[in-house]
Amino acid sequence: MSRVLVAEDLYLLRDGLVHLLQAHGFTVVGAVESGPELLKGLLELRPDVSIVDVRLPPTFTDEGLQAALAARKQVPGLPVLVLSQHVEQLYARELLADGSGGIGYLLKDRVFNAEQFVDAVRRVAAGGTAMDPEVIAKLLASNARNEPLAALTPREREVLETMAEGRSNAAISQRLYLSESAVAKHTASIFAKLGLAPSEDDNRRVLAVLAYLNNR
């Protein structure tokens, strides 16, 4: 049973998240509303995953993200799932910068059902990734002139985008209606074209792709 810390300044949303998580078997170890409270909770409670709003009191700029980043510096790999109203590419890049797992970035208005959200929380708690497709699209757009990416076929690009969201081969095959063997072949081709070392581990593979997109 995963232990979760929630950081959200709006009472109704914070309370709603707590009840949703509890209904799906999570243990909510804390629910805070400011950046300083979040940093303290992350370091003292060491949750299995934290759900963090980017803009928290006192200034409503990026306190949530900065508290999460500060905590991850002291506790490398501390799982963090960021919730934001907008795609802030800088925030995504900062979150991905240390290259360790247990990270997610979701847009509040694109979480369409409880199952989608709970799946993302579980993936991040397990050390994986959960990235909104729009975040991945932004990272890819910033790499528009990257020659290796331009060499990918349309199907390989679809596989890359889905992989970068944090999906396994099995999930990619279901999403794109491909066999797992076809996904494996596309993945091998993608890694060869991007000059990345192949890996059978889904999390390592996703992190390699995200690091590549983040550092161009």
Side-chain angles (χ1 to χ4, degrees):
M1 186 179 295
S2 297
R3 300 165 62 254
V4 186
L5 176 64
V6 175
E8 167 61 54
D9 65 294
L10 296 176
Y11 169 76
L12 288 178
L13 182 52
R14 184 172 67 251
D15 194 56
L17 285 171
V18 169
H19 283 84
L20 174 64
L21 291 164
Q22 290 174 335
H24 283 81
F26 295 94
T27 298
V28 178
V29 296
V32 301
E33 58 181 300
S34 71
E37 289 176 308
L38 171 59
L39 180 58
K40 180 180 179 182
L42 287 171
L43 296 178
E44 292 183 356
L45 298 172
R46 303 289 178 96
D48 297 316
V49 59
S50 58
I51 299 170
V52 177
D53 184 15
V54 170
R55 297 179 180 181
L56 294 174
T59 66
F60 294 97
T61 53
D62 61 355
E63 280 87 353
L65 179 74
Q66 293 305 324
L69 292 172
R72 279 173 68 90
K73 285 182 180 179
Q74 296 187 53
V75 187
L78 192 66
V80 173
L81 174 58
V82 168
L83 288 176
S84 178
Q85 292 282 10
H86 310 285
V87 178
E88 300 281 1
Q89 192 169 322
L90 177 61
Y91 295 163
R93 287 187 178 279
E94 285 193 76
L95 193 62
L96 295 167
D98 66 5
S100 61
I103 52 174
Y105 192 120
L106 299 181
L107 299 179
K108 291 180 179 179
D109 62 355
R110 284 174 50 82
V111 177
F112 301 120
N113 54 64
E115 288 71 24
Q116 175 194 5
F117 179 70
V118 168
D119 174 65
V121 176
R122 286 181 175 143
R123 270 192 282 147
V124 174
T129 57
M131 307 297 288
D132 187 280
E134 286 199 15
V135 177
I136 301 305
K138 284 278 189 179
L139 290 174
L140 286 169
S142 69
N143 285 275
R145 297 183 180 180
N146 181 289
E147 290 186 10
L149 283 176
L152 299 181
T153 66
R155 178 60 87 181
E156 287 171 348
R157 191 177 178 90
E158 284 183 319
V159 172
L160 174 68
E161 290 174 359
T162 312
M163 184 195 313
E165 292 173 26
R167 303 291 177 179
S168 65
N169 274 7
I172 294 171
S173 69
Q174 292 179 354
R175 171 84 70 85
L176 301 180
Y177 302 103
L178 296 170
S179 67
E180 287 194 44
S181 61
V183 172
K185 289 179 181 178
H186 285 308
T187 299
S189 176
I190 291 167
F191 271 58
K193 289 180 180 179
L194 299 185
L196 299 173
S199 173
E200 295 299 319
D201 183 280
D202 287 334
N203 284 346
R204 290 183 181 275
R205 186 185 65 180
V206 172
L207 288 171
V209 170
L210 290 173
Y212 179 88
L213 295 177
N214 198 41
N215 291 323
R216 295 297 103 182

